[in-house]
């Protein structure tokens, strides 16, 4: 082979070309990552199956809805934006295609200006099916009727006529709204029956709950804006369930006997509309009964089964009846240590455990045509991935049908073709959307998104693991290094922390759950590091429950293991480490700055819980019980009695109208700092609740990084 000789000038020119290419990369600012977030989001198309259309899906483009053959890829236009605007004179001001829900292959519905329109794709006409004039809107399955609230009262719209269901003048009593502070999987306050003939709804009596005095400073003088806030161990709300029958034009109360402060969860209707099922959870949150009630009278029929746990239960999904069955249903529970799907009948008999393994079911996708197989979305790869599994009910075998390591999401199954639609991403794949078959084989790629950060000077995200403080548990980690990283240099570190239950920070998806401000900090010379400590979500019951009754201990021990790992790296400056977190992460930040003083030179705690006695009943008592039953646990977790341990720079940030972690937490901590002659910094965001969003978030993240810079970059 002939050797090619290169001159010194060639290599100089090559280096200059590389340098020039890198120099042309744009810096990613805080504003880019917040105000311009959606412009940096990978390409995504709204795709859904067309019902009963033999394997067609609909693809939303800029100016038309298309019907595309799932296997051949051929497409035809269903309706254009201009045709939709002309389909009804009231739609002339439509500026873009709306989000739609297909009723069948030739019609869909959508919302516009407080109305629901039904569009006939053959005739290119749109008719109003229902109107609504309120909040918390909930529609019947056919979108012909709606339920909604005005202030604290409930209304429905039936055949275009508004009916007022409640007429309560006491603002502390609410109808048709979410209850129990959106815990237990409760995201709404109304539940239409399958055929839309009746509506189940919550009545929430909060007259006995303490008012917390938030302040509205937008007027002169400022005004009181109190919220109902039941703190741990104190009086909680009293909730009942009611059913309004449209034909009878009256409501009945469901006879849920028991303590007034129990939780009514997992509301479900029977397919024949004869019964309502309620998961009744005790206030200690360790005992649930699944009860059946007569929907016409509200009378108790029977208890199907009970579940108990020596710590607490996490049952957040209502029963789901099998297609074409009024007697068999699936139920999700983590009674074997991981959340899985079980098959029951309405006699309360467990027929089978459908899914099983050391992984967590995240979503139920659906049954196949013969109800022989159930498809679910579940975790994999130490909790980092989301994969599609097929579980055979008869053989009780479970098979993972997808193979790419990463996160499958928005998975839709079409029973007529046995095909799936899904999005997929991992740390190197921004977004792919495709059709795949029952064996995971890709049939057609719909979207293969380009890297939206290609023009920016950003760093790759590195996923790793460490061993927890108990010496036996694998913990996931995420690291972002400076874009011009040099292993021979030493870099300051920002540890970003949450650490609490109900949240998973790190997944094997695009950006791995990292916020764009982390890339900005990396551009400025920081290493950004996160440890998913024990107590966080989607790793099984034992992993999460290890923190029960003593929050802030195991999590801190795991975070310190992360610090030890960082200190073992030759390119980490051990004397320049910062920590930042929000909410539970604010609690963890302050805990680490006090209980492990000297570990971090600077910390920024946002919306921090400083004393769990001042946190709300539903979340707080699940993990800490009550202050009356667990006084030692509350005392050890409290940070109000630990201000004298603070040695380094700490900035506390709190929204002035925070109704989740009320401002009293931070003010009490400041008071203790003053009493102990301990210096601490504080900033509040007027007009903002638990988190700072919108354009003001640019100010927030600049403040966080400027505060850290002042200590670590001098």
């Amino acid at each position: 082979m002939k050797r090619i000789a290169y001159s010194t000038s060639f290599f100089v020119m090559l280096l200059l070309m590389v340098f020039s290419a890198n120099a042309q990369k744009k810096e990613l600012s805080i504003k880019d990552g917040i105000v311009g977030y959606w412009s940096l989001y990978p390409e995504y198309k709204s795709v859904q199956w067309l019902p009963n259309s033999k394997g067609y899906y609909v693809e939303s483009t800029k100016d038309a809805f298309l019907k595309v053959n799932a296997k051949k890829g051929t497409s035809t236009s269903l309706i254009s934006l201009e045709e939709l605007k002309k389909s009804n004179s009231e739609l002339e001001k439509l500026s873009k295609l709306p989000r739609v829900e297909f009723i069948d292959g030739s019609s869909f519905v959508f919302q516009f200006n407080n109305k629901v329109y039904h569009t006939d794709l053959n005739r290119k006409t749109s008719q109003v099916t229902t109107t609504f004039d309120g909040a918390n809107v909930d529609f019947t399955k056919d979108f012909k009727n709606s339920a909604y609230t005005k202030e604290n009262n409930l209304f429905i719209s039936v055949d275009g006529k508004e009916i007022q269901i409640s007429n309560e003048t006491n603002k502390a009593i609410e109808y048709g709204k979410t209850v129990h502070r959106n815990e237990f999987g409760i995201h709404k306050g109304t539940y239409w029956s399958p055929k839309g003939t009746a509506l189940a709804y919550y009545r929430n009596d909060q007259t006995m709950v303490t008012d917390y005095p938030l302040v509205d400073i937008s007027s002169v003088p400022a005004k009181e804006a109190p919220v109902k806030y039941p703190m741990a161990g104190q009086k909680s709300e009293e909730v009942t369930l009611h059913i309004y029958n449209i034909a009878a034009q009256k409501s009945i109360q469901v006879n849920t006997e028991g303590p007034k402060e129990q939780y009514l969860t997992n509301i479900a209707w029977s397919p024949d509309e004869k019964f309502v099922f309620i998961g009744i959870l005790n206030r200690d949150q360790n005992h649930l009964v699944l009860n059946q009630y007569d929907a016409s009278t509200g009378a108790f029929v029977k208890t199907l089964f009970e579940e108990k746990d020596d710590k607490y239960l996490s049952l957040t999904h209502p029963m789901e009846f099998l297609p074409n069955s009024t007697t068999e249903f699936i139920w999700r529970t983590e009674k074997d240590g991981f959340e899985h799907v079980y098959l029951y009948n309405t006699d309360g008999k467990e027929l089978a455990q459908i899914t099983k393994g050391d992984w967590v079911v995240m979503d139920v996708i659906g049954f196949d045509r013969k109800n022989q197989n159930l498809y679910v979305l579940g975790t994999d790869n130490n909790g980092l991935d989301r994969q599609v599994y097929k579980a055979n009910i008869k053989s009780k075998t479970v098979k993972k049908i997808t193979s790419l390591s990463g996160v499958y999401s928005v998975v839709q199954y079409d029973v007529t073709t046995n095909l799936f639609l899904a999005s997929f991403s991992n740390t190197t794949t921004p977004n792919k959307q495709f059709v795949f078959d029952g064996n995971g084989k890709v049939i057609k790629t719909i979207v293969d998104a380009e890297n939206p950060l290609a023009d920016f000077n950003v760093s790759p995200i590195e996923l790793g693991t460490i061993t927890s403080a108990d010496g036996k548990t694998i913990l996931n980690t995420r690291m972002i290094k400076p874009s011009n990283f040099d292993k021979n240099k030493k870099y300051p570190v920002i540890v970003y922390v949450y650490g609490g239950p109900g949240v998973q920070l790190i997944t094997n998806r695009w950006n791995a759950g990292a916020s764009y401000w982390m890339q900005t900090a990396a551009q400025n010379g920081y290493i950004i590091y996160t440890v998913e400590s024990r107590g966080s979500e989607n790793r099984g019951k034992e992993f999460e429950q290890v923190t029960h009754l003593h929050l802030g201990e195991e999590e801190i021990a795991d975070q310190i293991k992360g610090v030890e790992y960082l200190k073992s790296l030759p390119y980490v400056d051990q004397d320049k480490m910062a920590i930042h977190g929000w909410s539970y992460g604010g609690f963890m930040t302050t805990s680490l700055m006090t209980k492990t003083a000297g570990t971090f030179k600077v910390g920024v705690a946002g919306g921090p819980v400083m004393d769990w006695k001042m946190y709300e009943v539903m979340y707080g008592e699940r993990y800490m019980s009550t202050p009356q039953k667990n006084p030692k646990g509350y005392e050890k977790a409290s940070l109000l009695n630990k201000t004298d341990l603070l040695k380094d720079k700490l900035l506390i940030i709190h929204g002035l109208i925070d109704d989740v972690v009320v401002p009293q937490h931070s003010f009490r901590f400041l008071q203790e700092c003053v009493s102990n002659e301990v210096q601490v910094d504080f900033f509040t965001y007027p007009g903002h609740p638990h988190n700072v969003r919108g354009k003001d978030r640019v100010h927030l993240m600049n403040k966080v990084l400027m505060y850290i810079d002042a200590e670590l970059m001098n």
Side-chain angles (χ1 to χ4, degrees), residues 158-175:
V158 177
D159 298 328
K161 179 182 178 182
E162 183 177 81
I163 302 171
Q164 185 167 354
I165 304 299
S166 65
N167 188 18
E168 179 60 62
T169 57
N170 186 342
K171 301 299 183 183
I173 300 176
E174 297 181 332
Y175 289 81

Side-chain angles (χ1 to χ4, degrees), residues 443-499:
I443 303 298
K444 174 179 169 55
T445 298
I446 303 166
V447 171
D448 190 356
E450 296 182 356
N451 181 0
L453 299 173
D455 295 333
F456 291 89
N457 187 26
V458 297
S459 304
I461 295 176
E462 301 175 18
L463 299 180
T465 61
I466 62 170
T467 303
S468 66
D470 68 359
K472 61 182 182 181
T473 308
I474 298 299
L475 304 177
N476 294 318
T477 66
R478 181 182 65 212
M479 180 180 286
I480 305 175
K481 295 175 181 174
S483 53
N484 59 350
F485 177 73
D486 183 345
K487 65 180 181 179
N488 297 312
K489 292 183 178 181
K490 288 188 178 291
Y491 296 93
V493 176
I494 299 175
V495 172
Y496 182 73
V497 62
Y498 186 82

